[in-house]
Amino acid sequence: MQPYLAASTYIDFDHPDVAAQARRLADGAASRMDVVRRCFEFVRDEIRHSVDFMQNPVTCKASDVLRHRTGYCYAKSHLLAALLRANGVPAGLCYQRLSVGDTGGPYCLHGLNAVWLDDLGWFRIDARGNKPGVDAQFAPPVERLAFAIREPAERDLPEIWVEPLPCVVRVLETEPDVAAVLRNLPDAPLIG
């Protein structure tokens, strides 16, 4: 589990602002589950999804997401992983491959998290941010993710990553603004 508890370039809970926010969220929590819920709801509800608000700048590192209070789903998952890890809760990154539109291509990755819950094992949570048609919740043992898989070319990718995928980092670090990221969303084509 140690890798899922470590700070890194993008999951930088060793940054003073991220560490302080993690402490605030854990302060007075009744249980570890309560800490997870508080961290999840903070990122889901207090950090704006870049596309929903067309809000710049493009963020990638957890500390930048927290500072600017905005991020794509990927960046929000980096912040959630950082807050959880700072509180001693193993957390990883997960992805879904989804249609950009209602159906069919093009496709893109959607970023979310997996958290280790002692009674359940790895459990996926999605702090993307709710809006009409999206209602992600922290409701163990039931996963309540932002998006359901609706067609054969869409997938829940099974891996739980310690670090963000390079294709995600590349887009978030090279595109100049939110609109440019939206035009160049990362994808992981299916093999076989």
Side-chain angles (χ1 to χ4, degrees), residues 43-158:
V43 175
R44 184 194 65 190
D45 300 340
E46 301 299 326
I47 306 297
R48 292 178 163 194
H49 190 285
S50 297
V51 173
D52 292 352
F53 295 89
M54 290 309 288
Q55 184 173 346
N56 286 305
V58 176
T59 56
C60 188
K61 292 173 68 170
S63 56
D64 290 338
V65 177
L66 181 62
R67 177 175 37 257
H68 297 290
R69 298 286 176 136
T70 190
Y72 268 86
C73 57
Y74 324 105
K76 291 182 70 163
S77 74
H78 303 166
L79 176 58
L80 181 53
L83 295 170
L84 292 167
R85 290 180 187 185
N87 281 305
V89 179
L93 306 171
C94 298
Y95 299 93
Q96 293 177 311
R97 184 176 195 251
L98 302 172
S99 174
V100 172
D102 288 335
T103 186
Y107 296 90
C108 71
L109 294 176
H110 168 61
L112 56 150
N113 295 87
V115 60
W116 180 265
L117 302 177
D118 291 334
D119 295 338
L120 295 173
W122 286 111
F123 182 77
R124 292 185 307 164
I125 53 178
D126 191 342
R128 179 233 177 263
N130 289 340
K131 63 178 188 173
V134 174
D135 183 30
Q137 302 292 329
F138 181 69
V142 178
E143 287 184 345
R144 298 266 315 269
L145 305 178
F147 303 107
I149 301 304
R150 302 168 299 168
E151 60 176 83
E154 293 185 334
R155 296 280 165 80
D156 284 319
L157 303 183

Side-chain angles (χ1 to χ4, degrees), residues 149-189:
I149 301 304
R150 302 168 299 168
E151 60 176 83
E154 293 185 334
R155 296 280 165 80
D156 284 319
L157 303 183
E159 298 85 1
I160 300 171
W161 299 88
V162 171
E163 294 293 326
L165 291 178
C167 65
V168 168
V169 171
R170 187 171 35 258
V171 168
L172 295 179
E173 290 193 330
T174 61
E175 296 300 338
D177 58 37
V178 168
V181 173
L182 190 56
R183 290 190 301 272
N184 295 288
L185 293 169
D187 188 14

